[in-house]
Amino acid sequence: MSYAGDLTPQQAWDILRSDADAVLVDVRTRAEWSYVGIPELSEIGKQVVLIEWVGFPDGQRNPHFVSQLRDAGVTDDQQVLFLCRSGQRSVGAAEAATADGIAQAYNISEGFEGGLGPDGQRGVVGWKAQGLPWRQS
């Protein structure tokens, strides 16, 4: 594994609540933030950092991802938790952050909505399904 590891949404929430310096980076697209919603961290005095890993609608990787992460104030000594829809794109983000010196870069394995369930729908697992705070953007 070329990043610090995988976390469940609940483990990520627990870290965000207990570590004042921990940061949540949502790497989904602007369209996903707008239409699906975003994690809501105000009750713990934080804001989610929104940086696209890939663009919409072209699906091209964001070549400025790491510099945008740094511009957002993310430093090497923080726990940085990466979130996407289902825990796939966020692996790439955690790997890129690790390669740039962030030793505690984690992937939230179930993502915001999780993978497809038995009925072909999302929402069986993930941040939202766990009942963690979120809002429409």
Side-chain angles (χ1 to χ4, degrees), residues 4 6 22-25 31 43 52 66 70 74 76 81 87 90-91 98-99 102-103 108 115 117 120 122 125-126:
D6 294 320
V23 62
L24 176 64
V25 180
E43 75 179 66
E52 291 180 310
V66 171
R70 298 307 190 166
V74 174
D76 290 350
L81 318 176
S90 46
V91 168
T98 300
I102 299 171
I108 301 174
R122 296 187 190 280
V125 298

Side-chain angles (χ1 to χ4, degrees), residues 31-55:
E32 289 170 297
W33 303 328
S34 296
Y35 297 108
V36 181
I38 60 173
E40 173 57 62
L41 306 181
S42 62
E43 75 179 66
I44 57 173
K46 296 182 178 187
Q47 290 186 337
V48 64
V49 175
L50 304 173
I51 305 173
E52 291 180 310
W53 176 247
V54 297

Side-chain angles (χ1 to χ4, degrees), residues 43-122:
E43 75 179 66
I44 57 173
K46 296 182 178 187
Q47 290 186 337
V48 64
V49 175
L50 304 173
I51 305 173
E52 291 180 310
W53 176 247
V54 297
F56 177 80
D58 64 7
Q60 296 297 310
R61 187 184 174 294
N62 175 1
H64 308 290
F65 179 80
V66 171
S67 64
Q68 290 171 344
L69 191 62
R70 298 307 190 166
D71 290 346
V74 174
T75 63
D76 290 350
D77 58 344
Q78 291 177 288
Q79 291 191 83
V80 185
L81 318 176
F82 292 96
L83 176 77
C84 68
R85 180 182 61 199
S86 61
Q88 302 302 308
R89 286 172 283 174
S90 46
V91 168
E95 290 174 336
T98 300
D100 197 60
I102 299 171
Q104 297 180 84
Y106 294 92
N107 172 48
I108 301 174
S109 61
E110 296 173 6
F112 190 67
E113 297 179 276
L116 296 175
D119 62 356
Q121 301 290 320
R122 296 187 190 280

